[in-house]
Amino acid sequence: MSVVLMPILVLAVAGLLFGLLLAVASKLFKVEGNPLEASIDQLLPQTQCGQCGFPGCKPYAHAVVSGEADVNHCVPGGERVMLQIADLMGVEPKAIEEEPSAPMVAFIREDECIGCTLCIKACPVDAIVGAPKQYHVVIAEDCTGCTLCVEPCPVDCIDMLQTPELLEHWSWPLPGTARAELAHERKYGHA
Amino acid sequence: MAMHSWQRLGAKWLAGLIPLAEAGVHPDDCKVTASLAITDAPLPPLLVLPIRQHIGQACAPIVDAGDTVLRGQKIAKSQGYVSTSIHAPTSGRVVKIEEHAIVHPSGIGMLSIFIEPDGEDRWLEKLPAMADYAQRDPAEIREQIRSCGIAGLGGALFPTFIKLVRDPNHRIETLILNGIECEPWLTCDHRLMVEDAPRIVAGLKILRYLVQAERCVVAIEDNKPDAAAAMREALKQAGCADVEVRLLPTIYPQGSEKQLIETITGRQVPAGKLPLHIGALCENVATTAAIADAVLEGKPLIERVVTLSGDAMPKPANLRVRIGTPVDYLLRQQGLEDLHGVEVMQGGPMMGERLRHLDAPITKGSNGILAMRQQAREPESPCIRCGHCVQVCPVGLMPNELASHCRNDRFEESEAFNLFDCIECGACSYVCPAHIPLVHYFRYGKGQVAAIRRANAFAELSRQRSEAREQRIQREREEKAARRRARSAAKPAPSPVPPKAEQP
């Protein structure tokens, strides 16, 4: 009888012990949030523009990881970010749907501003300062160019201006040789 | 996609195996102006002075349109530490301050001060001269050099006063005067040494007093024996017998600061470090002469020697030109009217920039203006793995690998192959039999990496701001809820009127 009972008993006790161990470990070494989600969030340009259809960069990263969204929805990130996300997720790259526009910055025409604070509430990075019934102004160097402030403005006094190209930020284009173009085509030209 | 650590290690190790002694190239030196004495260029009808003529922060104009200025008057003052002032090259009237074309590959302009000369060329009272500099505080002399607007005239334009610190942790052992001028066609430093050697030696003595260097070397390439003789003579006259004049074999890019320091001291300036960290100071001969002017006479930097040459230049010359003189004016002076099929560039043919706008002015860094016949460019063909570029690279990089990484936007790999140690001397592009524009690829890569770094830094800032905003909204919501709870606790009887929605 003990020949049958002993192994069952030993296995049961061992199973219980390992189960306890796993339970303790899962409590002790619990990882907050999804690490993959965090690293995708790191790759995103943090404009919080919502052009991907999600209310910010973090929600989009969450959606990509949980499979709700494709890798090619970040408009300001463009090809480069799409390729990096696809690489991280281990999926095939997909063509981006919308070309990123030139970098923009919001500008409030002060003489038309009525001081309603609606744009201040809309700004995802708190880059507009002002108070009720006072002129509002955009802090240009903090503006991500997301255009979220344009729609709420009741008097339509916000313009999106193209940021002037700075001499310090100018960089050489790829050489215009056929081989350079071919390399670029190979890297980014998949449909 | 990412590079393995062993690959990175292999790249570093392989790069270390390349013997540096053979690095460099021997382009035809074409120094047709070597025997032509320096002459004064006439004053143009309008001078254009861009507000940034050095590495670092731009200056702020301190004159307004309509003001009259005198020769040597400060017209823009330096902003921040890495910056140096700009002075009026002649007396006259400030016409306007607006954007104007400069020598830059982008073609983007820069805010410039326009001065119309009055022809009198009247000096402002100069800064106090410091003929007795040896009795003065080095900090005072440095300040004089700073306020005279002196930056490295070899072309790098680093504000000179910054290099002249006495740092107890990094004592300067070797002071090197750079009279190499390894770029083909250029002869401005050569002529300055032949004609103005005593002034250079005076500057050398000031530098030596400032940094207390034990060893001084004047480095000259062996294609300029007359310059070496003039310098030796001047040194003898000035009683500097212990200063060595070294004739070095002619090879490009010997005149690059880090390469010259290695040749003279046998030590390499580590990546990302300054010559100061290995106890060396390297100054161009023209800068040294400008230092002598600044300290001994209180004269700010308002003119420089420019070589006008090239195979399409009718009258090649070495000219002493006021800073701010438009290039097209100089070209007309030298008889170049018809620019059809001619490419004009600033600097030597190896590292110079093609001028996109010929009305761009001469700045502190313009050592030469070359007018070259346009040549058809050979199309780029695939790399044949000859390894010639690897042999000639003076920094010991592998240009072939680097170019392929840059071409395919593999920036992580190109950084692992030390992209940022490239000095863009152009030796690799010069020897490449497949006509690969190697340096152009490296510039592209460097620009892209810098842009990515900037974008990442901005994204990080935006992330912080957006997180701070979320926290604030959360906090406000909690405070509101707490207030509501407190109110309902104070009023135990439920009111029949529903609570009014709070005003935003």
Side-chain angles (χ1 to χ4, degrees):
Chain A
M1 202 59 186
S2 69
V3 180
V4 181
L5 262 181
M6 258 330 251
I8 292 174
L9 208 70
V10 167
L11 279 178
V13 171
L16 207 69
L17 275 175
F18 283 124
L20 270 171
L21 205 70
L22 281 174
V24 170
S26 78
K27 280 267 179 276
L28 263 175
F29 304 112
K30 192 170 158 50
V31 178
E32 289 291 337
N34 190 337
L36 193 58
E37 200 177 305
S39 34
I40 288 181
D41 189 41
Q42 272 302 319
L43 294 175
L44 294 171
Q46 304 299 323
T47 46
Q48 319 290 349
C49 60
Q51 289 180 78
C52 51
F54 294 88
C57 293
K58 214 178 237 168
Y60 176 54
H62 177 79
V64 169
V65 172
S66 58
E68 288 167 43
D70 264 327
V71 293
N72 60 344
H73 290 320
C74 180
V75 178
E79 288 275 2
R80 207 172 61 80
V81 168
M82 183 277 295
L83 284 179
Q84 284 174 330
I85 297 175
D87 195 34
L88 211 63
M89 292 294 294
V91 297
E92 278 297 305
K94 272 187 137 178
I96 52 166
E97 285 149 1
E98 211 177 317
E99 282 297 317
S101 61
M104 302 275 232
V105 61
F107 174 77
I108 297 174
R109 295 194 300 276
E110 283 183 12
D111 45 347
E112 289 170 44
C113 172
I114 53 168
C116 68
T117 75
L118 286 178
C119 59
I120 297 181
K121 291 208 184 78
C123 179
V125 289
D126 273 349
I128 306 180
V129 284
K133 305 230 167 89
Q134 309 280 321
Y135 294 139
H136 303 339
V137 66
V138 178
I139 309 170
E141 58 259 44
D142 288 329
C143 175
T144 63
C146 67
T147 72
L148 288 180
C149 53
V150 176
E151 208 41 56
C153 180
V155 291
D156 204 12
C157 72
I158 304 179
D159 289 326
M160 294 307 293
L161 303 180
Q162 240 181 55
T163 44
E165 193 172 22
L166 287 175
L167 198 63
E168 295 81 23
H169 293 181
W170 179 84
S171 67
W172 284 81
L174 198 65
T177 60
R179 278 182 53 77
E181 274 155 24
L182 185 72
H184 211 253
E185 185 69 19
R186 262 204 306 252
K187 179 125 185 167
Y188 298 114
H190 47 81
Chain B
M1 197 100 105
M3 208 174 172
H4 289 293
S5 58
W6 59 266
Q7 278 177 315
R8 218 166 287 163
L9 201 74
K12 287 234 163 78
W13 182 73
L14 272 174
L17 278 182
I18 296 151
L20 286 180
E22 287 168 30
V25 292
H26 298 275
D28 284 343
D29 74 356
C30 306
K31 308 242 184 198
V32 292
T33 49
S35 57
L36 300 176
I38 301 169
T39 50
D40 285 318
L43 265 178
L46 191 66
L47 289 159
V48 182
L49 293 126
I51 56 164
R52 190 164 61 105
Q53 305 194 15
H54 49 259
I55 287 182
Q57 270 178 292
C59 294
I62 52 172
V63 288
D64 274 322
D67 289 0
T68 46
V69 290
L70 294 175
R71 184 176 179 187
Q73 183 179 336
K74 193 178 282 186
I75 52 172
K77 68 167 193 287
S78 51
Q79 303 281 303
Y81 184 65
V82 188
S83 185
T84 179
S85 322
I86 294 162
H87 302 77
T90 184
S91 60
R93 196 171 61 89
V94 178
V95 187
K96 54 185 175 178
I97 300 176
E98 58 184 49
E99 203 170 281
H100 189 268
I102 54 164
V103 182
H104 194 272
S106 67
I108 301 174
M110 186 185 277
L111 193 68
S112 308
I113 302 170
F114 292 66
I115 295 177
E116 194 178 60
D118 58 10
E120 293 175 26
D121 216 9
R122 253 180 316 134
W123 272 101
L124 176 81
E125 264 184 70
K126 289 175 205 162
L127 285 165
M130 293 186 177
D132 58 339
Y133 63 86
Q135 272 82 51
R136 290 189 188 238
D137 183 13
E140 203 184 337
I141 301 168
R142 276 183 74 215
E143 193 47 47
Q144 175 95 348
I145 291 170
R146 179 180 200 184
S147 62
C148 283
I150 292 170
L153 297 180
L157 292 171
F158 190 70
T160 302
F161 77 99
I162 296 171
K163 289 159 82 174
L164 306 178
V165 277
R166 268 193 210 170
D167 185 342
N169 298 325
H170 302 286
R171 264 182 43 75
I172 303 284
E173 289 160 14
T174 316
L175 167 63
I176 302 165
L177 280 208
N178 186 347
I180 295 287
E181 203 163 50
C182 55
E183 277 265 13
W185 295 99
L186 301 186
T187 56
C188 52
D189 289 352
H190 179 180
R191 286 314 301 177
L192 197 74
M193 284 188 285
V194 171
E195 295 175 32
D196 251 348
R199 209 151 60 95
I200 298 170
V201 173
L204 167 75
K205 286 167 101 172
I206 297 165
L207 283 174
R208 201 171 185 186
Y209 166 70
L210 281 175
V211 300
Q212 301 281 313
E214 288 155 25
R215 182 176 173 222
C216 291
V217 181
V218 180
I220 300 171
E221 275 189 347
D222 60 8
N223 58 358
K224 302 185 251 299
D226 50 343
M231 286 302 292
R232 281 207 182 98
E233 180 58 31
L235 284 165
K236 207 162 79 187
Q237 301 262 318
C240 301
D242 56 337
V243 177
E244 181 192 356
V245 175
R246 274 273 285 277
L247 270 184
L248 298 170
T250 305
I251 189 164
Y252 178 88
Q254 180 127 251
S256 160
E257 184 177 59
K258 290 184 176 181
Q259 277 55 52
L260 182 60
I261 288 171
E262 190 181 341
T263 312
I264 299 286
T265 65
R267 301 173 74 183
Q268 280 189 358
V269 180
K273 289 268 166 67
L274 297 171
L276 170 80
H277 295 122
I278 58 161
L281 171 67
C282 187
E283 285 293 351
N284 171 271
V285 285
T287 317
T288 315
I291 289 172
D293 283 349
V295 175
L296 299 177
E297 294 176 46
K299 251 167 81 175
L301 179 63
I302 53 168
E303 58 188 13
R304 65 156 299 143
V305 183
V306 181
T307 300
L308 280 103
S309 194
D311 56 10
M313 186 73 78
K315 276 194 292 176
N318 295 301
L319 295 179
R320 186 169 279 115
V321 181
R322 301 289 166 93
I323 309 281
T325 305
V327 170
D328 51 357
Y329 175 80
L330 285 179
L331 294 179
R332 275 199 302 277
Q333 287 295 317
Q334 297 315 113
L336 185 66
E337 300 275 355
D338 179 26
L339 287 162
H340 191 73
V342 174
E343 206 167 315
V344 180
M345 54 204 291
Q346 173 184 292
M350 299 296 283
M351 287 187 75
E353 305 278 15
R354 192 169 65 87
L355 258 66
R356 293 180 60 138
H357 304 286
L358 288 177
D359 53 346
I362 295 286
T363 55
K364 293 177 184 176
S366 317
N367 43 10
I369 299 292
L370 302 184
M372 309 293 273
R373 298 240 162 270
Q374 252 166 10
Q375 286 169 353
R377 289 211 171 77
E378 296 280 340
E380 175 186 355
S381 54
C383 173
I384 57 166
R385 314 271 168 206
C386 65
H388 210 156
C389 54
V390 183
Q391 262 169 22
V392 299
C393 178
V395 190
L397 302 177
M398 295 202 272
N400 50 348
E401 294 289 333
L402 265 174
S404 136
H405 288 317
C406 287
R407 186 194 292 126
N408 294 294
D409 285 6
R410 292 190 297 258
F411 300 122
E412 199 193 329
E413 287 87 338
S414 48
E415 277 191 81
F417 275 89
N418 303 311
L419 173 65
F420 280 86
D421 287 340
C422 168
I423 58 168
E424 301 177 18
C425 68
C428 50
S429 312
Y430 178 77
V431 297
C432 182
H435 308 289
I436 301 172
L438 291 145
V439 173
H440 195 148
Y441 280 119
F442 306 154
R443 286 177 170 166
Y444 165 74
K446 284 178 180 179
Q448 292 299 306
V449 172
I452 291 169
R453 283 183 188 164
R454 259 198 315 277
N456 286 347
F458 184 68
E460 190 49 48
L461 222 70
S462 301
R463 185 200 319 280
Q464 282 167 14
R465 293 182 77 84
S466 118
E467 275 167 10
R469 175 175 182 265
E470 266 157 34
Q471 278 166 17
R472 194 198 67 222
I473 291 171
Q474 180 71 25
R475 198 179 58 235
E476 278 169 4
R477 199 175 293 141
E478 277 162 17
E479 278 168 7
K480 212 178 194 175
R483 274 203 303 277
R484 201 173 287 148
R485 271 199 305 277
R487 259 203 314 276
S488 58
K491 248 193 294 178
S495 131
V497 190
K500 218 165 78 181
E502 250 181 71
Q503 287 294 314

